[in-house]
Amino acid sequence: MKIKKILALVLAMIMTLSLAACGDGSAQSTATNASGNETTAAETGEDSGGQDTAATEEDTIAAAYDGPASIVCNISADPQGFDVWTGSGSFQLKYLIYETLYITDYEGNNNPNPHIIKDVTFSDDGMSMDIEIYDDIHAQDGCQFKASDIIWSLESGLGANIARFVSVFDVPSCEATDDTHAHLVFADKWIDFNTDSLAMIYLACEESYNASPDHYYFTGLAGTGPYMVESYTEGNEVILVPNPDYDNRGSDYWGNQNLDRITCKVISESSQALIEYETGAIDLVTQPDLNDLEFYGSLEETDVINTAMNKNLCLCYNCSSASVLNNQKLREAISYAIDKDAIFNKALQGVKMPANGVTNPVCATYDPDHVDPHEYDIDKAKEMMKEAGYENGLTLRMAYSTSNGSHYPTMAAVIQNQLAEIGITIEIEPYDNATFSSIILTEDGWDITLTQYKSVINGMFHMWNLVNDNKKNNPFWEDSEFQDLLAKTLYSNDEKDIEKLVDMYEEACPYYTIGYETVQFIVRGGVEDVKFIGDNRFFPNEWNYATAEWSHHE
């Protein structure tokens, strides 16, 4: 099986070619018609032209793209509506309907860039920012989007107590000074990581939102994004079409409208999605079962795309006095005993990436030559067990959330077997996400968690977010020198200090990064310039289509 690996647009070292049957990708266009099933003039408002059997291959391909394209994909759960503050299942779709202050770019470093922001300035002390937005932004129902809507969106998002907003930085004061300018005051000095939070807050027009009795639950018309909901049948499907009034303001990495229709079918079972794809009912499969990848790869005109996410798979060690893992030598022994290649290349079909450190490949500062200080060494692991005082072994509890993915039980079982080689008995404890989230807040309910954490911009993001006494310290790891340097470097961004922080962190290993999370998509052949963002967002509206092998649904 050949798998096309597009690792957040940065990992050329693990790029592979897709199936040869998918064509050479020499022709580029922004629209696709199916082979032998052209879009009619009535559908497109223009003459499709037809194909000349005597035409050259290039002419034939060009003729196939005279009309707009459509795509049909699966989503694993009903979106639960398109009200901007509800609908936890519509994460993927909302980014096509609603915009944000910042948007993560496609340039290979996953850095957030200003989106609807025309200009931004920060005060000299870093305690406030002034935003100017474009003056021609409108909600999909026609209402003008104003700076006051930014304030309303920020306040409403935080007040809605939605999980995506709880880690957003504190903004105790904000106001709109006119229709296109807003002033935000921060509780703490601005750091670059705050842009990641602003890239997650959906913006909506307050006037539009309040004008609808159901807050546009079924249509999302309070949004300003490139696509709008044409129809939504709960539990069945969502159809998106281009927003005719959308202007991407010259963006090179957001807001193209390469499709005239995106149909998302609710298909909860991966086995059913496979059947739907094989029979031509859908063109794009999201969240395929890992065990089905080889079969998908054997199909003609099919690309299996494996792309890196901005999440690191890891072991989190309980460093508190309530666990024996407050012993650093014991943590190191466990880390040395982890054979990452065996976990990912054998147990998980090679679609997850073994890690070489805390910095994720989607980060601009990722170094493919970085050496993990605790690379697999079973003899060293046994030596460290002896130095830690546990030569005769011990029993530890390892918890994980069942919501993190179907590959977690496999990973847990492999790790359990690997640690048995150095005398450690692992009691695996799977929990639903709510229970798991509650347990890890306590010092005495766990020893190890098999989990994941977000990693963007540079390796310091994770430390700021999860190993920070001033924010959150999940492993209960105490190191005053590290904390002092972290507090300083968050504002200075000194490269040498960041390197020192990474070295200190990896040596003490409160977390041990074992892999980089990836996500898979199955796409019919001929898709070029595929764009993803590291937190599992995919944008078919941005893609280009180079062949006419689509099953173009009408």
Side-chain angles (χ1 to χ4, degrees):
M1 171 180 61
K2 293 183 178 180
I3 297 179
K4 179 187 287 185
K5 298 185 177 181
I6 303 179
L7 298 176
L9 310 179
V10 298
L11 286 185
M13 66 175 184
I14 61 168
M15 276 284 209
T16 61
L17 295 175
S18 58
L19 296 175
C22 296
D24 62 8
S26 58
Q28 294 281 334
S29 176
T30 59
T32 305
N33 286 343
S35 176
N37 191 16
E38 295 151 344
T39 305
T40 66
E43 293 172 308
T44 65
E46 54 186 68
D47 186 359
S48 62
Q51 295 187 13
D52 183 352
T53 56
T56 65
E57 181 179 359
E58 289 184 359
D59 289 339
T60 301
I61 293 175
Y65 297 112
D66 283 348
S70 70
I71 193 172
V72 181
C73 68
N74 71 306
I75 50 178
S76 61
D78 185 83
Q80 301 172 19
F82 295 97
D83 173 342
V84 64
W85 309 128
T86 62
S88 59
S90 58
F91 167 51
Q92 295 284 9
L93 304 184
K94 275 191 174 177
Y95 275 101
L96 298 176
I97 300 169
Y98 294 97
E99 295 184 281
T100 52
L101 285 174
Y102 284 77
I103 187 73
T104 307
D105 66 26
Y106 300 131
E107 301 304 317
N109 57 22
N110 245 53
N111 285 339
N113 288 309
H115 186 20
I116 72 163
I117 297 175
K118 183 177 182 181
D119 189 34
V120 59
T121 57
F122 294 90
S123 61
D124 291 340
D125 62 4
M127 294 299 294
S128 66
M129 71 187 298
D130 288 286
I131 296 172
E132 179 186 2
I133 63 172
Y134 291 90
D135 61 4
D136 58 350
I137 304 173
H138 291 83
Q140 294 173 4
D141 66 353
C143 290
Q144 183 177 358
F145 182 88
K146 303 176 182 179
S148 58
D149 294 313
I150 295 175
I151 309 305
W152 176 77
S153 296
L154 287 173
E155 293 175 344
S156 299
L158 294 169
N161 194 29
I162 300 174
R164 289 184 58 76
F165 304 122
V166 296
S167 63
V168 173
F169 62 98
D170 191 3
V171 184
S173 173
C174 50
E175 64 174 342
T177 55
D178 60 31
D179 284 352
T180 58
H181 293 82
H183 179 70
L184 277 62
V185 177
F186 313 130
D188 298 302
K189 185 177 178 180
W190 172 272
I191 60 174
D192 289 345
F193 297 142
N194 289 334
T195 57
D196 182 72
S197 297
L198 291 178
M200 294 193 298
I201 301 178
Y202 306 122
L203 302 175
C205 180
E206 181 180 13
E207 180 181 352
S208 301
Y209 184 85
N210 290 330
S212 170
D214 63 1
H215 304 307
Y216 287 131
Y217 177 91
F218 288 98
T219 62
L221 289 181
T224 63
Y227 277 74
M228 57 197 304
V229 178
E230 180 183 72
S231 66
Y232 168 36
T233 306
E234 289 184 290
N236 187 16
E237 72 174 18
V238 179
I239 298 177
L240 302 178
V241 295
N243 174 3
D245 298 322
Y246 183 76
D247 180 0
N248 74 353
R249 297 170 287 278
S251 171
D252 292 331
Y253 51 82
W254 173 254
N256 290 320
Q257 296 174 317
N258 290 357
L259 292 168
D260 70 326
R261 181 177 297 252
I262 301 173
T263 301
C264 304
K265 291 187 173 184
V266 179
I267 304 174
S268 58
E269 297 295 330
S270 58
S271 58
Q272 184 60 36
L274 187 152
I275 294 171
E276 297 277 316
Y277 180 84
E278 191 178 11
T279 57
I282 60 177
D283 307 305
L284 166 67
V285 180
T286 66
Q287 297 179 313
D289 190 294
L290 294 182
N291 294 319
D292 294 333
L293 295 184
E294 185 171 1
F295 176 77
Y296 279 116
S298 70
L299 300 176
E300 293 185 356
E301 302 297 344
T302 295
D303 289 340
V304 181
I305 299 174
N306 185 43
T307 182
M309 298 174 64
N310 56 17
K311 291 181 173 61
N312 290 2
L313 295 162
C314 63
L315 297 177
C316 178
Y317 300 127
N318 185 343
C319 302
S320 75
S321 58
S323 172
V324 294
L325 290 176
N326 65 347
N327 183 329
Q328 179 177 324
K329 291 185 182 296
L330 183 55
R331 299 197 299 269
E332 291 189 78
I334 295 172
S335 301
Y336 277 121
I338 301 299
D339 184 349
K340 293 174 286 190
D341 286 337
I343 296 173
F344 298 109
N345 292 336
K346 297 178 182 178
L348 296 175
Q349 292 85 41
V351 297
K352 309 296 178 182
M353 294 176 57
N356 69 342
V358 63
T359 306
N360 190 287
V362 304
C363 299
T365 57
Y366 173 72
D367 179 6
D369 297 322
H370 179 77
V371 177
D372 178 1
H374 296 103
E375 198 62 56
Y376 176 62
D377 187 333
I378 196 67
D379 293 331
K380 184 68 173 178
K382 292 176 180 178
E383 177 185 329
M384 295 300 290
M385 285 287 288
K386 184 175 181 180
E387 291 185 22
Y390 293 95
E391 184 177 10
N392 296 323
L394 74 162
T395 298
L396 298 172
R397 298 162 296 175
M398 182 170 70
Y400 68 85
S401 168
T402 55
S403 299
N404 277 346
S406 60
H407 52 293
Y408 271 65
T410 301
M411 287 195 298
V414 174
I415 291 170
Q416 182 184 52
N417 290 334
Q418 290 179 354
L419 295 185
E421 294 185 35
I422 60 171
I424 295 179
T425 299
I426 291 292
E427 296 177 349
I428 299 175
E429 299 177 346
Y431 295 102
D432 64 83
N433 195 56
T435 304
F436 177 80
S437 299
S438 175
I439 287 175
I440 62 174
L441 296 177
T442 67
E443 295 186 3
D444 58 359
W446 57 283
D447 295 307
I448 303 173
T449 61
L450 176 59
T451 187
Q452 60 187 26
Y453 61 81
K454 188 173 184 178
S455 177
V456 296
I457 303 178
N458 60 48
M460 192 169 55
F461 179 90
H462 158 64
M463 302 170 195
W464 161 74
N465 197 35
L466 294 177
V467 196
N468 183 355
D469 284 347
N470 294 320
K471 192 174 190 289
K472 184 164 50 177
N473 191 338
N474 277 6
F476 307 105
W477 175 48
E478 296 181 3
D479 187 317
S480 58
E481 181 184 358
F482 175 88
Q483 294 294 336
D484 290 343
L485 183 61
L486 176 62
K488 167 191 170 185
T489 311
L490 284 172
Y491 302 109
S492 70
N493 284 307
D494 183 87
E495 291 183 6
K496 290 185 177 179
D497 284 341
I498 293 176
E499 290 177 4
K500 185 176 180 180
L501 282 169
V502 170
D503 290 343
M504 294 172 67
Y505 171 91
E506 290 186 344
E507 179 182 357
C509 58
Y511 280 84
Y512 182 57
T513 307
I514 60 176
Y516 304 124
E517 183 65 276
T518 61
V519 63
Q520 295 73 44
F521 299 93
I522 311 301
V523 188
R524 295 203 185 278
V527 179
E528 299 292 334
D529 198 23
V530 175
K531 295 179 175 68
F532 295 94
I533 287 179
D535 57 2
N536 196 13
R537 279 177 279 169
F538 64 99
F539 300 105
N541 61 296
E542 298 286 311
W543 302 352
N544 291 309
Y545 304 87
T547 68
E549 301 299 332
W550 288 75
S551 56
H552 193 85
H553 304 269
E554 299 187 45

